[in-house]
Amino acid sequence: MIEDLTKTYETPFYCYDQKIIQGKIDFLKSLNLNFNYSLYFSVKANPNLAIINFFKQNNIGATVVSSGELFKAIRAGINPSNIVINGSSKNEFDLKYAITQKINCINIENIQEIDLIESYSKEKNLKTNFGVRINPGIDAQTIDKISTGKTGDKFGIEIEQIDFEKLAKLNYSNLKALSIHIGSQITNYNKLIESYIALIDLANNLKNKGFEIETLNFGGGFSIPEEGYKSLDFKMWAEELNKIMKNNNYKIIFEPGRFLVAESGSLVTKVNYIKKSGSKNIALLDSSFSEYIRPAFYNINPMVEVLKNNSQNKIKYDLAGGVCETSDFFLRDVELPILEVGEFLIFKNVGAYGSSMSSTYNSRPRPLEILFKNNDHRVIRSKDTLEDLCNNEIM
Ligand code: LLP
């Protein structure tokens, strides 16, 4: 399929295999979790309307972190009653918009957020469901830049700082949930279980004190295979989870992002030039960190394939992008068949936090996106035009 797409569309472009996304959904649903749970797709991983809508068609809700993501989730057809908002520093408009849309739950991460939730809900004569995101002080043992549950991190609130008496007594705000999310790309299932136990313990303690918590939001964070990272051991995860959920009847929410979409996505790019620089062979691509920033930002090594190349001879390349930044590299010293100018490369497993973290730096148009299934495909985002790059600017 990808080869055909390169004949019709100019690179770079993202493409997503719908069957792989479906496979991930089916896999999670096949795990035999024996308690009441719902899946909410973490929109930040891939906020394309077609992708969000695909989850909607599979009865999956949405977790958002901004009014923009909330707007897109609703536009994609998700009922607000199946949307949760998180966010370490929600703006006033984010909160007001979430309140008036009557979403399932607003998870607060700062004590002061509740003042606005209560006063605005009163003004609108609404009862708003909210949750509290806990910082459990757990090191998820993942990439440091995407670890969120350690003491000193900006996410969630330490339990000792939460006055549950006060939160449970509000007139227009209903304490409905507790939530936790200790990081992303987590390979050690024990760390996730540890965080769930912390949340269950807290909910049980609160129950003993007379507070009714209906929902526990266990966040996302499931790892996918990537160089240096293996995929989460779901068999053990599910087994342990079923054990700790025995005798509990909380409603559980999971908010996976990466797991659901990462492996479906490819970034297809072309070799523009090849040059030698000292001992290095540098292949300069038609994509850059504007289109895919994770290698430069997190120092990860994306999986790469050459689309069509029969050369048996391999040599080492540095794969560089086209923006004017020294750090704009996808991979260094990667062994590949001898490349030629015009040849296509595919970065694999980039369906999560790929397009969603792209920018127009160097005034590069954001790329085309395609969703395909078997031999059918459709464009789900057109490439920015040059005119788009001037949108909202006033001379
Ligand atoms: N729930 C909350 C509260 C989150 O903050 C996140 C992700 C998720 C769920 C979904 O996590 P996932 O299942 O995708 O691991 N840009 C980084 C990842 C940042 C994740 C931020 N939070 C990257 O490219 O690796």
Side-chain angles (χ1 to χ4, degrees), residues 42 44-45 63 65 86 109 133 143 146 148 155 180-181 183-186 217 219-222 255-259 294 298 352-353 357:
S42 229
K44 63 167 85 82
T63 288
V65 288
N86 298 302
E109 305 203 26
R133 177 166 171 185
I143 304 169
I146 54 176
T148 55
F155 297 96
I180 206 157
H181 172 82
S184 196
Q185 186 62 348
I186 299 171
N217 183 326
F222 314 145
E255 309 178 316
R258 185 190 312 273
F259 176 78
R294 297 187 70 249
Y298 304 119
Y353 309 109
M357 292 179 78

Side-chain angles (χ1 to χ4, degrees), residues 85-319:
I85 191 166
N86 298 302
S88 61
S89 184
K90 299 174 203 74
N91 291 328
E92 188 176 323
F93 182 73
D94 299 329
L95 288 170
K96 288 184 170 176
Y97 185 38
I99 290 167
T100 52
Q101 294 304 308
K102 300 188 214 153
I103 68 169
N104 179 297
C105 192
I106 300 177
N107 289 326
I108 64 167
E109 305 203 26
N110 304 285
I111 290 295
Q112 301 95 325
E113 276 176 72
I114 198 60
D115 298 338
L116 180 82
I117 296 175
E118 178 68 4
S119 64
Y120 196 65
S121 302
K122 181 173 179 191
E123 191 181 321
K124 295 286 168 189
N125 198 24
L126 293 168
K127 187 107 179 172
T128 301
N129 289 320
F130 75 100
V132 185
R133 177 166 171 185
I134 306 302
N135 177 332
I138 295 175
D139 179 354
Q141 295 173 342
T142 179
I143 304 169
D144 211 38
K145 278 195 176 142
I146 54 176
S147 177
T148 55
K150 290 186 291 195
T151 303
D153 284 345
K154 69 170 179 166
F155 297 96
I157 311 174
E158 290 174 318
I159 295 172
E160 310 77 63
Q161 294 184 38
I162 308 167
D163 183 348
F164 284 103
E165 293 283 348
K166 182 181 154 204
L167 293 182
K169 270 206 289 240
L170 299 164
N171 292 321
Y172 295 88
S173 316
N174 171 42
L175 174 59
K176 166 177 172 168
L178 298 175
S179 79
I180 206 157
H181 172 82
I182 58 170
S184 196
Q185 186 62 348
I186 299 171
T187 52
N188 182 346
Y189 71 89
N190 276 314
K191 289 288 156 188
L192 289 167
I193 299 290
E194 202 183 315
S195 72
Y196 307 157
I197 292 175
L199 211 60
I200 296 170
D201 284 350
L202 176 61
N204 287 343
N205 276 339
L206 291 173
K207 200 183 217 168
N208 292 338
K209 292 185 188 149
F211 305 108
E212 251 339 295
I213 303 290
E214 177 205 274
T215 301
L216 299 184
N217 183 326
F218 285 164
F222 314 145
S223 62
I224 57 125
E226 199 165 54
E227 195 188 284
Y229 297 86
K230 54 185 179 4
S231 74
L232 190 77
D233 184 343
F234 277 99
K235 190 168 172 288
M236 290 306 293
W237 175 82
E239 226 169 78
E240 292 301 312
L241 188 51
N242 278 335
K243 272 190 219 159
I244 62 172
M245 282 306 296
K246 231 179 225 164
N247 309 322
N248 287 317
N249 51 9
Y250 300 109
K251 288 185 184 161
I252 302 299
I253 289 178
F254 295 106
E255 309 178 316
R258 185 190 312 273
F259 176 78
L260 289 171
V261 287
E263 289 164 85
S264 74
S266 301
L267 174 60
V268 185
T269 182
K270 194 170 66 180
V271 178
N272 270 345
Y273 307 99
I274 297 173
K275 72 162 65 142
K276 272 214 163 262
S277 177
S279 62
K280 296 280 195 184
N281 296 305
I282 304 182
L284 290 128
L285 310 181
D286 64 357
S287 52
S288 70
F289 79 31
S290 295
E291 291 79 33
Y292 189 55
I293 201 171
R294 297 187 70 249
F297 199 45
Y298 304 119
N299 287 327
I300 53 107
N301 292 326
M303 281 156 62
V304 67
E305 268 176 18
V306 183
L307 181 64
K308 227 179 29 171
N309 187 321
N310 299 324
S311 169
Q312 299 297 315
N313 298 331
K314 292 193 167 183
I315 59 169
K316 281 189 178 164
Y317 288 97
D318 283 5
L319 300 180

